[in-house]
Amino acid sequence: KTAVAGCFDRLHNGHKALRDLIQPASVRMNVVREFLESITNVPVDVRCITHPHLPALTTQDIQAMVVSVETRRQGEHFNILRVFCHLDPLFIDVVPTLTVADGCKISSSSRRAALLGRLLRPINRESK
């Protein structure tokens, strides 16, 4: 069993302009479930994580965790906490961050910013 986690929408002051573009957790969870089911026959369990350490610190049968380069230290921290909780450490699989042609990383925040840009772009009303 492998854990893949991400809140993707943890809000801070920089997100205030984008908050109305954030999909509800139930919608995001369904999209994740549908995507995973479309690419694999492996059973998936999509949960809303209500605490930053769950279920990684309460579930013995999780064997691995997928993290990004930016969150690798958090994965390593989880392993320290797991050992402290008498759980086996997880295999940490670090995946690279993907970027688009202009070098910007692909993220939920960058996708919302692009959507916001389309929504705010002035309409060209020039007559021909």
Side-chain angles (χ1 to χ4, degrees):
K1 291 186 175 179
T2 301
V4 180
C7 60
F8 308 106
D9 285 313
R10 183 181 321 179
L11 296 179
H12 55 73
N13 287 340
H15 287 120
K16 284 185 179 180
L18 305 176
R19 71 175 169 244
D20 292 334
L21 301 175
I22 297 172
Q23 296 174 318
S26 60
V27 171
R28 289 182 279 141
M29 289 170 50
N30 284 333
V31 169
V32 168
R33 183 180 298 106
E34 289 170 6
F35 173 74
L36 292 173
E37 289 173 350
S38 75
I39 62 170
T40 183
N41 291 327
V42 176
V44 297
D45 179 13
V46 178
R47 301 180 195 178
C48 186
I49 299 173
T50 58
H51 186 280
H53 296 129
L54 301 176
L57 295 184
T58 59
T59 307
Q60 174 63 36
D61 62 345
I62 296 175
Q63 299 166 329
M65 177 183 286
V66 177
V67 298
S68 66
V69 173
E70 294 94 347
T71 60
R72 178 185 195 132
R73 284 184 172 260
Q74 291 167 312
E76 293 167 351
H77 180 70
F78 272 109
N79 273 343
I80 292 168
L81 294 174
R82 281 181 64 86
V83 170
F84 183 77
C85 293
H86 307 288
L87 298 171
D88 294 332
L90 303 174
F91 172 78
I92 303 295
D93 188 9
V94 181
V95 296
T97 302
L98 300 177
T99 57
V100 291
D102 63 3
C104 292
K105 77 176 185 177
I106 297 173
S107 70
S108 56
S109 293
S110 64
R111 293 191 67 187
R112 276 194 308 280
L115 176 59
L116 182 64
R118 284 196 300 275
L119 293 174
L120 296 180
R121 207 168 280 128
I123 299 171
N124 186 355
R125 297 187 185 267
E126 293 180 19
S127 58
K128 293 186 179 185

